[in-house]
Amino acid sequence: MNSSRLFLDQSASHGSMLFLGSNNALCQVPRSVISMDENPARKRLFFASPEESIYNEEYSDEQLPEKKRRLTPEQVNLLEKSFEEENKLEPERKTELAKKLGLQPRQVAVWFQNRRARSKTKQLERDFDLLKAAYEGLLLNYQSLLKENDKLKSEVHSLTEKLHAKESNGLEGPTSGLMQEPPLDEPSKLTQQQHNKAEDGASSGSSGVENPYHHLVVDSTGDSYFDCLPPPPPPCLVAVHSEEDDISDDGRSSYFPFMFDVVATNHQVEEAEEEEGGQDLGWWVWS
DNA sequence: TTCGCACAGCCGGTTACCTCA
DNA sequence: TCTGAGGTAACCGGCTGTGCG
């Protein structure tokens, strides 16, 4: 049994270590003397290897190092492998692992708990990044739709003005007083029935109008016009997914309870908002 | 069947220690 | 040599599920 051990001299600041030799004599050794490169457990000076368990009966209570020690790379490797297989620890597996690693079952349990916590933190960070990217993409999409919408509105507005001007000029014209085929999207020519129907559709968000991409809008000035939107873009797939070694405890690949896979025309958002009683949902539509 | 208790395990949060730049 | 940041082993308190009388 190799009884040589290294542990920090708690009374000394940083610089030195206590070395417990084979004769159990405590020797103070400057840290610099113990080269990391020469130490097989380099960078892990304070490890207890499996055969160097701190619970070794050779030590009196006073000699037991109180400081916590890191696990050896070998121990960590085995624990990681075991964690990959199953991130929960059954009592039998815990005992078996502890025996194999020369650790206390309690240490194995603690390691698994901490590992799950680290895994969860990482997963949350990944989910956050994915959501952020998705959000930014949708924001761009939304803004371009707004621009497009504004452009079309102004186009409709100018055409309407032209039409009004033409009408007022043409009152004395030969077709004055005759029923004309109403131009497409000309609100002033809507029958009251059509108008009401369209308004209902616009206010309820349901398909009150046959074409879901033509909503009648009554703006603050009282003007009414069709709010023509371009056809919806291809669905934007926003799959929150990560492949990862780390899965959450319940086996999901993401900690988000929802997957919002298809988002987000303005209309879908509006409809979702109205289903929520007018609550502003931004431009997220959960599926 | 229900209740109360003890126990074990998990989780979120925290502390203490270690390592490194 | 000192210091602060980051990683991690270990702990704490609360909660939940389970077994038992």
Side-chain angles (χ1 to χ4, degrees), chain A residues 5-134:
Chain A
R5 282 165 184 79
L6 291 168
F7 51 92
L8 263 189
D9 173 8
Q10 297 189 49
S11 63
S13 66
H14 298 288
S16 63
M17 281 174 272
L18 293 180
F19 179 78
L20 190 60
S22 56
N23 59 355
N24 274 359
L26 279 176
C27 313
Q28 190 167 16
V29 181
R31 179 174 286 193
S32 58
V33 170
I34 303 169
S35 161
M36 295 283 202
D37 292 334
E38 291 165 13
N39 191 312
R42 42 179 304 207
K43 298 185 178 180
R44 306 277 185 182
L45 282 178
F46 308 107
F47 297 162
S49 63
E51 65 277 13
E52 293 177 327
S53 166
I54 62 171
Y55 299 96
N56 189 314
E57 64 283 357
E58 286 181 2
Y59 293 93
S60 66
D61 289 342
E62 301 84 64
Q63 286 172 323
L64 278 174
E66 297 293 330
K67 304 278 187 179
K68 70 183 179 187
R69 57 197 63 220
R70 284 176 177 268
L71 303 175
T72 65
E74 293 75 23
Q75 288 171 325
V76 172
N77 281 342
L78 193 54
L79 286 165
E80 286 286 355
K81 277 182 187 170
S82 184
F83 184 84
E84 278 173 26
E85 288 171 14
E86 173 62 55
N87 71 348
K88 295 271 185 169
L89 197 57
E90 303 80 25
E92 304 79 40
R93 198 156 67 102
K94 177 170 70 179
T95 311
E96 189 187 330
L97 267 174
K99 205 171 176 182
K100 208 181 282 184
L101 294 166
L103 297 171
Q104 291 296 301
R106 167 72 184 159
Q107 286 179 285
V108 176
V110 165
W111 187 89
F112 266 73
Q113 283 177 18
N114 287 326
R115 184 64 179 81
R116 280 194 293 270
R118 287 195 290 273
S119 157
K120 188 170 187 175
T121 303
K122 281 184 183 175
Q123 186 60 53
L124 283 171
E125 286 170 0
R126 279 189 288 269
D127 284 346
F128 174 80
D129 289 341
L130 285 170
L131 280 175
K132 193 178 170 193

Side-chain angles (χ1 to χ4, degrees), chain A residues 24-278:
Chain A
N24 274 359
L26 279 176
C27 313
Q28 190 167 16
V29 181
R31 179 174 286 193
S32 58
V33 170
I34 303 169
S35 161
M36 295 283 202
D37 292 334
E38 291 165 13
N39 191 312
R42 42 179 304 207
K43 298 185 178 180
R44 306 277 185 182
L45 282 178
F46 308 107
F47 297 162
S49 63
E51 65 277 13
E52 293 177 327
S53 166
I54 62 171
Y55 299 96
N56 189 314
E57 64 283 357
E58 286 181 2
Y59 293 93
S60 66
D61 289 342
E62 301 84 64
Q63 286 172 323
L64 278 174
E66 297 293 330
K67 304 278 187 179
K68 70 183 179 187
R69 57 197 63 220
R70 284 176 177 268
L71 303 175
T72 65
E74 293 75 23
Q75 288 171 325
V76 172
N77 281 342
L78 193 54
L79 286 165
E80 286 286 355
K81 277 182 187 170
S82 184
F83 184 84
E84 278 173 26
E85 288 171 14
E86 173 62 55
N87 71 348
K88 295 271 185 169
L89 197 57
E90 303 80 25
E92 304 79 40
R93 198 156 67 102
K94 177 170 70 179
T95 311
E96 189 187 330
L97 267 174
K99 205 171 176 182
K100 208 181 282 184
L101 294 166
L103 297 171
Q104 291 296 301
R106 167 72 184 159
Q107 286 179 285
V108 176
V110 165
W111 187 89
F112 266 73
Q113 283 177 18
N114 287 326
R115 184 64 179 81
R116 280 194 293 270
R118 287 195 290 273
S119 157
K120 188 170 187 175
T121 303
K122 281 184 183 175
Q123 186 60 53
L124 283 171
E125 286 170 0
R126 279 189 288 269
D127 284 346
F128 174 80
D129 289 341
L130 285 170
L131 280 175
K132 193 178 170 193
Y135 167 80
E136 284 164 0
L138 286 171
L139 182 58
L140 286 175
N141 188 34
Y142 175 74
Q143 286 168 343
S144 74
L145 284 173
L146 280 183
K147 279 184 186 173
E148 178 75 9
N149 195 23
D150 285 344
K151 187 181 158 191
L152 289 167
K153 278 179 189 173
S154 63
E155 203 172 313
V156 168
H157 187 68
S158 81
L159 287 172
T160 305
E161 278 184 348
K162 281 182 188 173
L163 196 61
H164 282 318
K166 194 174 178 183
E167 276 180 352
S168 57
N169 288 340
L171 278 178
E172 303 85 27
T175 59
S176 173
L178 296 178
M179 268 310 266
Q180 293 182 28
E181 181 82 6
L184 186 63
D185 293 347
E186 169 47 86
S188 62
K189 298 296 183 187
L190 285 172
T191 65
Q192 188 59 41
Q193 188 184 7
Q194 285 171 316
H195 188 93
N196 290 344
K197 189 178 176 185
E199 267 194 314
D200 286 345
S203 62
S204 68
S206 64
S207 54
V209 271
E210 289 180 10
N211 183 342
Y213 300 102
H214 286 178
H215 282 194
L216 185 74
V217 174
V218 180
D219 67 20
S220 57
T221 66
D223 281 340
S224 60
Y225 51 88
F226 276 106
D227 185 7
C228 302
L229 285 171
C236 172
L237 190 63
V238 188
V240 178
H241 171 76
S242 51
E243 64 294 337
E244 166 38 85
D245 46 341
D246 300 323
I247 55 172
S248 60
D249 293 346
D250 54 5
R252 290 196 308 266
S253 64
S254 166
Y255 282 89
F256 289 92
F258 49 79
M259 293 283 286
F260 51 104
D261 51 359
V262 177
V263 195
T265 65
N266 287 2
H267 290 280
Q268 286 171 308
V269 174
E270 286 165 7
E271 286 169 11
E273 286 176 351
E274 283 166 11
E275 279 172 16
E276 292 295 320

